[in-house]
Each structure stands twice: as C-alpha cells, then as structure tokens.
Amino acid sequence: MQKLLSEIRDCTVCSEHLPMGPRPIIAGTSKSKIILVSQAPGRKAHNHHKAWDDPSGKKLREWLGVTDEEFYNPNNFAILPMGFCYPGKGKTGDLPPRKECAPLWHEPFWDHLQNVKLTLLIGKYSQDRYLKTISKKNLTENVSSYKDFLPHYFPLPHPSPVNRFWMVKNQWFDTDVLPELRELIATIL
C-alpha cells in the first residue's frame, strides 16, 4: 500500500491542466475501515497538503460524529477523491475533479484494502461512478434512499457551505439521516 500511495503522490498525469500544479492528496492503509470517496481537494487542502482541512471538513466530521484524531487516523478513514489534485477555479466555484485520476488509480487502491466496512460517497461525482445503474434520479434521491445502498455505500451531499440552501430545503437529512450515519460510524469504529 505504501508503494502505491507514493506512486499516486508522485503522479503528474494531468499536470498541464492544473493551475497550481500537481499535489495529489490521498490517505489510507490496508486496514482502513471507512472509505471517503469525494470530489477533489480544495485550494486550502492543496496549500496545506491535508484533505478536508477546511470548513467542509469540519462539517463532515460533525456529520460523522468523529474527532479530528479519529478522522485523520488512516486505519479508520481512507481518503480517495475522484480527482487527487486541486482542479482550479471556474466561473461558479472550483472546477470538477480531473477525469484521469479515478480510472487510473481507484482500482489499484481498492485492491490493497482488506477491512472495508463502509464507503461514503460524498457528492454527485462519486455517486455517479460507484452507484452506476443502481443510482436514483439525482443526488437528493440517492441521499434520501441511502438504505437502498447499504451495507456497502452511504451517499452524502458535499458538506460545503455552498450547499447550505440544499440543507435548508432538505431538513430531513439533518433529522433523519445524520443520526443513523453517526450510529453506523460509531459501530464501525
């Protein structure tokens, strides 16, 4: 696993498309219990070279009911973004994750995992890749139907502050889904 992580961290496949250059972020061990499949690191994560080191990460840890120490323990959580590097800024926010990463690196990463209990699919990009034909009509339906994807997957919206309108519109997520998610995470850890 360490050899693979080094190879991924040295990857420059899409460097010509990255305005801040390549700086792949990934974490995990063969013992990782929960896999976080998300979009791509944000600018702050890129600068600090630490995944989920921003308001979105703080919100995600709150959703999961875990401490920073629990979250950043790679035996607990593996970090597997759809794109490993910050993709840059677009007109309405960060650009989508680069499409080269997942096909190139996800399968070899999964091949090294031996103890996975749950995969959290954070955002639409990860849900499209992993749920494929069993996906519902949209992210909201995937999240509201999370029980349909258990025990393997648990779809979530992105915890970005930009999604605050989604949260207000879908208060059932806070009252119904998050308590069950926290209970499941506590049981696994």
Side-chain angles (χ1 to χ4, degrees), residues 10 18 27 29-30 41 59 64 67 75 87 99 103-104 113 135 139-142 144 150 152 175 177 181 186:
D10 290 340
L18 301 170
T29 70
S30 60
K59 178 59 78 176
L64 302 175
T67 65
N75 288 327
K99 294 183 180 191
L104 184 62
L113 298 171
S135 182
L139 178 137
T140 301
E141 287 190 20
N142 283 340
S144 67
L150 291 173
H152 302 295
T175 58
V177 177
L181 175 63

Side-chain angles (χ1 to χ4, degrees), residues 110-123:
W110 283 103
D111 288 345
H112 285 80
L113 298 171
Q114 302 167 1
N115 194 33
V116 177
K117 308 294 185 212
L118 183 66
T119 302
L120 302 178
L121 300 175
I122 303 169

Side-chain angles (χ1 to χ4, degrees), residues 1 12 21 25-26 42 44 51 71 74 76-77 82 89-90 115 120-121 126-127 131 137 159 161 166 187:
M1 177 66 101
T12 59
I25 297 177
I26 186 168
K44 185 175 179 186
F71 183 81
N76 289 335
F77 292 94
M82 294 299 294
K89 203 73 154 157
N115 194 33
L120 302 178
L121 300 175
S126 63
Q127 292 169 25
L131 297 181
K137 187 171 67 172
W166 187 92
T187 300

Side-chain angles (χ1 to χ4, degrees), residues 119-159:
T119 302
L120 302 178
L121 300 175
I122 303 169
K124 188 78 167 104
Y125 295 107
S126 63
Q127 292 169 25
D128 286 348
R129 178 170 179 84
Y130 283 89
L131 297 181
K132 298 180 184 169
T133 60
I134 60 171
S135 182
K136 307 298 180 187
K137 187 171 67 172
N138 55 42
L139 178 137
T140 301
E141 287 190 20
N142 283 340
V143 174
S144 67
S145 303
Y146 71 93
K147 289 180 183 179
D148 293 351
F149 306 112
L150 291 173
H152 302 295
Y153 301 116
F154 202 117
L156 295 170
H158 195 283

Side-chain angles (χ1 to χ4, degrees), residues 5-34:
L5 292 175
S6 290
E7 288 175 30
I8 293 170
R9 290 177 182 133
D10 290 340
C11 182
T12 59
V13 168
C14 56
S15 60
E16 66 186 80
H17 304 288
L18 301 170
M20 295 177 72
R23 198 165 189 203
I25 297 177
I26 186 168
T29 70
S30 60
K31 298 176 183 177
S32 298
K33 298 174 193 137
I34 301 169

